[in-house]
Amino acid sequence: MSDVTIAERPAAGPEDILDSIVQGEGYKYGFFTEIEAEEAPPGLNEDIVRFISAKKGEPGWLLDWRLKAFRRWQTMDPPDWAKLNIAPIDYQAASYYSAPKSLKDAPKSLDEVDPELLKTYEKLGIPLGERAALAGVAVDAVFDSVSVATTYKDKLGELGIIFCSFGEAVREHPDLVRRYLGSVVPVADNFFAALNSAVFSDGSFVYVPPGVRCPMELSTYFRINAAKTGQFERTLLIADKGAYVSYLEGCTAPQRDENQLHAAVVELVAMEDAEIKYATVQNWYPGDADGKGGIYNFVTKRGACRGDRAKISWAQVETGSAITWKYPSCLLEGDHSVGAFYSVAITNNRQQADTGTKMIHIGRNTSSTVISKGISAGRGQNTYRGQIKVLSAADGARNYTQCDSLLIGKSCGAHTVPYIDVRHPGAKVEHEATTSKISDEQMFYCQQRGLTAEDALSLIVNGFCKEVLNELPMEFAVEAQKLLAVSLEGSVG
Amino acid sequence: MTNILEIRGLRACITGGREVLKGIDLTVAPGEVHAIMGPNGAGKSTLSSVLAGKPGYEVTAGSVFYKGVDLLSMPPDARAREGLFLAFQYPVEIPGVNNMYFLRAALNAGRRQRGQPELDAQQFLKAVREKLKLLDIGDDLLRRAVNVGFSGGEKKRNEIFQMAMLEPNLALLDETDSGLDIDALRVVSDGVNRLRDPGRAIIMVTHYQRLLDYVVPDHVHVLADGRIVASGDRHFAVELEQTGYAHLCDAA
């Protein structure tokens, strides 16, 4: 285990958390909102792709792009290299489009939302505005596959920042979308990316113009509500020369017995001197203690540092989903560009996660940092899978990777699979990995000071994850710490 | 006045293993400092572990009343919140967890139990400063992770600082003097002396007479082969230094 103590964030923060750790009763987002939805019939064929495109009133070029992706997808096989045990998925059984029929049916203000639900959000420390979003009231939430609304648009507009739903971007800024869509994750990049490209129904779009520093954290909450629907959102984020943006993404889904498919694609483009920070707290429904139900989370996230000195940083806290297959990656094309990946992944009960990153060093003097913290409890299986690739022209490339695994109990598993592919003799690539268990001595020490077993576990786990939690924006860090506690419920006995 | 601790006929074994405590009787009143001495393997550390509720031991007979309440029926964290403090012989490292944060969590857990309002960051800091001053120690350990990379002396000093902050009714000091050089021993024992209080009892478990030169006990007991075989006042320790334990052990 690392002996490095990371400096405290100023102001409040993690110090304030433990006092208010939530002792909940399992998955807190398992509610289902009764809204009449407009759904495509189950199944996937070219007609469905056309149906989705028509529903959204898309231009011909985008329909063609979708169809191209669909045809490629039909020729592809699901990847089988991950250490995941997945029952065969019937792609014809799901519905590929679900939209609330009328936004009038959604609650219009917090007064109309179940007070129990609001209490839950309050306990989790989610700010009021975000509580509203989660409840489907207003702002900036992707509810099933359709973006409900977007806040702060006008304020951002004054700075030339575009922050809107993907559908709106297609209508209002077609040139930008056309220029960048698929430029980082090509349609046939992998099975799930191709599926997403064919059937994505909405998502978020961000463009920050040259030299502009986005003054606020942009955030999107995703929620899968309807039954038997997949969610396929598409996020495209461009930071032009010298721009800066920090983006947060949160995910929840109601509790259901059947598995639901989620296959998202996120593309980031950072031009010269631009910086993008992208943080995710993923809390999709993980299934019950016996592994029944839960979200299948197959996500392709990739950022391109297109210009010199561009920086992209991924931070993720993965606590949910029955299955997570996700490798947020960086293409370090520009000279002196910098990529980072900070990850906490928890698997409890029967959850399985195969997650990590790819850092592809292409330009000169590029550097990357990978910090991965995997926590396994119950019968959870947790795999770090990472690739560090240094191409032959990448003079002065450097990578530092640290993978730490923490085991809680005797029936879980932790696996580390680093691929290192170096084609330049001068590259410096470091990999450190540790595996540890929470010791009885640590637990007793905390309990002897008055902490309950649950609080003690949460404290120790939070300490283990600290280097990653420090990379999250403050509000998210608070929420993430509480989610860690909730996710580990039942793992001390 | 209720005794802080009343141990009657306490027998305990290592779970699934040999019997270590073979009938302990001990009464401790508020304000008293007791020293429990004895040879290695006599059961000294087991006694503090059993009192604190450390897993891995099984009480087979006897009773322990703490402030008039059945101690053995309480889980370890509840004992702690009720004011029972164990200064560990080997304090445990918790990487990534800030020492101050840890202490505040512990302090507020106890305050919640007593129905007192929790301390916010500012009140907590104020309390920290007062205790640092009381113990005459620096704040160098506070910003580091709990016990991580601490020297032996720093760990023991940190235990005493935690004790000062948590203001226990009963403090068990388990071999707090072991592994300390003479300067560290002085710092730690000065701290303990400053924490002597009419409302607080302290039980020091130690192998050596040395600690008792600095922290003078009211009562001294010799624990041998799981029983208290002899007891006396503060002068008894000096006597023991000369005669050793052997004749007492034989008597047991």
Side-chain angles (χ1 to χ4, degrees):
Chain A
M1 205 177 270
S2 164
D3 275 354
V4 180
T5 310
I6 300 298
E8 294 294 324
R9 277 176 170 275
E15 262 66 26
D16 293 328
I17 314 313
L18 189 91
D19 319 345
S20 55
I21 289 268
V22 180
Q23 299 303 326
E25 306 77 35
Y27 191 70
K28 300 218 179 275
Y29 301 93
F31 57 92
F32 166 68
T33 312
E34 292 261 2
I35 299 168
E36 207 180 336
E38 190 170 21
E39 254 183 46
L44 184 52
N45 51 50
E46 282 203 12
D47 288 342
I48 294 289
V49 176
R50 288 175 198 280
F51 169 84
I52 294 167
S53 190
K55 274 284 166 203
K56 304 189 69 62
E58 286 175 355
W61 65 265
L62 191 50
L63 174 61
D64 291 344
W65 192 82
R66 285 176 181 276
L67 289 171
K68 186 176 135 198
F70 178 70
R71 286 164 196 151
R72 289 297 298 274
W73 177 74
Q74 286 180 299
T75 68
M76 298 169 86
D77 294 315
D80 59 1
W81 39 261
K83 190 176 166 42
L84 298 171
N85 186 5
I86 311 169
I89 298 167
D90 182 358
Y91 291 92
Q92 297 301 333
S95 164
Y96 287 84
Y97 185 81
S98 167
K101 207 169 210 173
S102 161
L103 290 179
K104 284 183 218 143
D105 295 340
K108 277 181 269 312
S109 76
L110 282 173
D111 301 338
E112 296 178 29
V113 177
D114 181 356
E116 286 302 310
L117 184 59
L118 292 177
K119 243 184 257 169
T120 304
Y121 292 148
E122 201 177 321
K123 274 194 213 161
L124 279 169
I126 297 169
L128 191 73
E130 288 170 15
R131 273 181 240 162
L134 269 171
V137 177
V139 290
D140 179 340
V142 175
F143 195 73
D144 284 336
S145 308
V146 177
S147 185
V148 179
T150 309
T151 37
Y152 298 122
K153 211 161 63 176
D154 296 342
K155 198 169 165 188
L156 294 169
E158 288 166 19
L159 292 165
I161 296 169
I162 302 166
F163 176 37
C164 62
S165 74
F166 200 91
E168 187 181 336
V170 170
R171 286 192 299 278
E172 307 289 329
H173 311 283
D175 295 344
L176 280 173
V177 174
R178 210 171 167 174
R179 186 152 143 213
Y180 291 106
L181 180 66
S183 75
V184 187
V185 179
V187 289
D189 184 79
N190 65 69
F191 181 84
F192 299 112
L195 177 63
N196 172 285
S197 301
V199 302
F200 75 87
S201 33
D202 215 329
S204 297
F205 178 84
V206 178
Y207 173 79
V208 187
V212 172
R213 193 179 166 86
C214 186
M216 62 185 77
E217 316 263 6
L218 302 182
S219 78
T220 303
Y221 266 94
F222 293 108
R223 175 156 177 80
I224 299 178
N225 192 51
K228 289 182 185 160
T229 57
Q231 174 149 320
F232 307 92
E233 79 268 0
R234 185 101 197 174
T235 301
L236 179 55
L237 197 161
I238 302 126
D240 216 324
K241 288 181 183 175
Y244 167 86
V245 62
S246 170
Y247 188 90
L248 320 176
E249 176 192 76
C251 318
T252 62
Q255 196 162 335
R256 294 187 186 290
D257 286 346
E258 64 274 13
N259 296 112
Q260 282 180 287
L261 185 60
H262 173 248
V265 173
V266 176
E267 295 180 277
L268 311 182
V269 179
M271 306 304 280
E272 203 173 284
D273 294 305
E275 180 171 4
I276 300 173
K277 288 186 173 179
Y278 196 102
T280 303
V281 172
Q282 184 267 110
N283 185 31
W284 299 118
Y285 178 55
D288 69 12
D290 301 320
K292 191 168 191 209
I295 301 292
Y296 286 174
N297 192 32
F298 302 106
V299 173
T300 304
K301 290 184 169 176
R302 194 175 302 153
C305 289
R306 288 268 153 88
D308 294 349
R309 295 170 301 278
K311 285 184 184 172
I312 289 180
S313 158
W314 298 100
Q316 63 174 21
V317 175
E318 303 283 318
T319 63
S321 295
I323 287 171
T324 297
W325 178 98
K326 184 182 172 190
Y327 316 89
S329 302
C330 296
L331 302 171
L332 304 171
E333 297 166 10
D335 293 348
H336 303 277
S337 59
V338 178
F341 173 73
Y342 302 97
S343 171
V344 170
I346 286 197
T347 54
N348 194 3
N349 298 319
R350 299 269 180 175
Q351 282 178 280
Q352 306 175 66
D354 193 298
T355 184
T357 184
K358 286 190 280 187
M359 293 289 173
I360 314 296
H361 293 257
I362 301 161
R364 287 175 301 152
N365 299 313
T366 50
S367 66
S368 60
T369 304
V370 176
I371 310 284
S372 164
K373 305 280 183 177
I375 298 148
S376 313
R379 292 173 173 275
Q381 293 291 328
N382 207 321
T383 302
Y384 168 81
R385 188 180 303 277
Q387 183 184 40
I388 307 301
K389 192 166 186 172
V390 179
L391 300 189
S392 56
D395 296 336
R398 304 181 69 122
N399 162 265
Y400 174 74
T401 299
Q402 184 189 327
C403 291
D404 297 323
S405 303
L406 188 66
L407 300 170
I408 302 169
K410 290 178 182 138
S411 312
C412 56
H415 318 274
T416 302
V417 190
Y419 302 89
I420 297 174
D421 179 0
V422 176
R423 300 177 190 180
H424 190 293
K428 283 189 181 167
V429 177
E430 294 174 70
H431 181 92
E432 288 183 20
T434 66
T435 301
S436 51
K437 284 191 73 164
I438 289 186
S439 71
D440 295 343
E441 281 74 21
Q442 283 176 321
M443 289 295 289
F444 178 61
Y445 190 74
C446 294
Q447 287 174 272
Q448 210 301 305
R449 296 300 180 253
L451 304 181
T452 61
E454 289 77 17
D455 283 352
L457 180 70
S458 162
L459 183 90
I460 295 165
V461 168
N462 275 307
F464 173 75
C465 301
K466 183 150 200 188
E467 292 149 281
V468 173
L469 297 179
N470 279 346
E471 295 297 327
L472 294 174
M474 186 63 72
E475 300 75 11
F476 244 33
V478 172
E479 191 185 337
Q481 295 206 357
K482 291 175 178 172
L483 276 177
L484 294 187
V486 171
S487 303
L488 288 171
E489 268 170 21
S491 54
V492 282
Chain B
M1 197 175 199
T2 316
N3 284 321
I4 285 200
L5 192 68
E6 280 182 33
I7 306 177
R8 295 286 168 262
L10 180 68
R11 300 179 84 98
C13 60
I14 294 165
T15 304
R18 66 187 177 91
E19 184 171 56
V20 184
L21 302 181
K22 300 174 180 174
I24 302 274
D25 292 287
L26 182 66
T27 302
V28 179
E32 291 181 345
V33 175
H34 289 239
I36 296 182
M37 305 185 69
N40 285 328
K44 303 191 298 291
S45 284
T46 299
L47 178 60
S48 10
S49 296
V50 167
L51 292 177
K54 186 177 182 179
Y57 299 93
E58 199 181 320
V59 173
T60 51
S63 64
V64 179
F65 281 86
Y66 167 68
K67 296 195 289 186
V69 180
D70 178 12
L71 182 73
L72 300 175
S73 67
M74 297 162 77
D77 51 314
R79 298 181 197 193
R81 290 193 298 271
E82 283 296 337
L84 187 151
F85 180 90
L86 171 64
F88 283 61
Q89 182 177 6
Y90 303 108
V92 181
E93 300 189 359
I94 309 177
V97 176
N98 176 276
N99 213 7
M100 292 268 271
Y101 174 45
F102 176 71
L103 197 47
R104 191 172 145 213
L107 186 66
N108 281 334
R111 293 181 67 90
R112 276 198 300 274
Q113 177 98 354
R114 294 187 294 272
Q116 296 169 322
E118 297 184 20
L119 296 187
D120 65 24
Q122 219 166 1
Q123 295 164 322
F124 175 71
L125 217 66
K126 193 168 163 255
V128 164
R129 289 209 190 90
E130 282 167 11
K131 298 301 181 187
L132 287 174
K133 208 174 154 197
L134 171 73
L135 299 181
D136 196 20
I137 57 176
D139 60 359
D140 49 317
L141 303 178
L142 299 179
R143 307 212 163 272
R144 291 158 65 180
V146 179
N147 293 321
V148 175
F150 287 22
S151 71
E154 286 173 332
K155 283 182 179 169
K156 296 297 171 71
R157 202 174 74 191
N158 194 38
E159 294 291 290
I160 299 305
F161 175 65
Q162 291 184 6
M163 173 179 158
M165 289 297 297
L166 296 174
E167 303 182 327
N169 300 116
L170 175 62
L172 308 168
L173 311 184
D174 187 10
E175 306 263 2
T176 294
D177 52 332
S178 70
L180 294 186
D181 62 31
I182 200 74
D183 292 331
L185 180 64
R186 189 168 292 135
V187 171
V188 166
S189 42
D190 281 355
V192 175
N193 281 329
R194 285 170 205 196
L195 295 173
R196 288 178 88 143
D197 184 280
R200 177 175 300 140
I202 298 174
I203 298 177
M204 300 186 293
V205 168
T206 180
H207 189 62
Y208 301 105
Q209 155 70 29
R210 198 172 65 147
L211 176 65
L212 308 187
D213 293 341
Y214 294 92
V215 182
V216 179
D218 302 304
H219 301 276
V220 177
H221 312 277
V222 175
L223 186 65
D225 192 28
R227 290 184 191 90
I228 289 177
V229 292
S231 296
D233 61 10
R234 68 188 64 179
H235 306 295
F236 185 46
V238 184
E239 210 175 290
L240 281 172
E241 186 76 350
Q242 288 155 4
T243 58
Y245 302 122
H247 66 290
L248 296 168
C249 297
D250 292 344

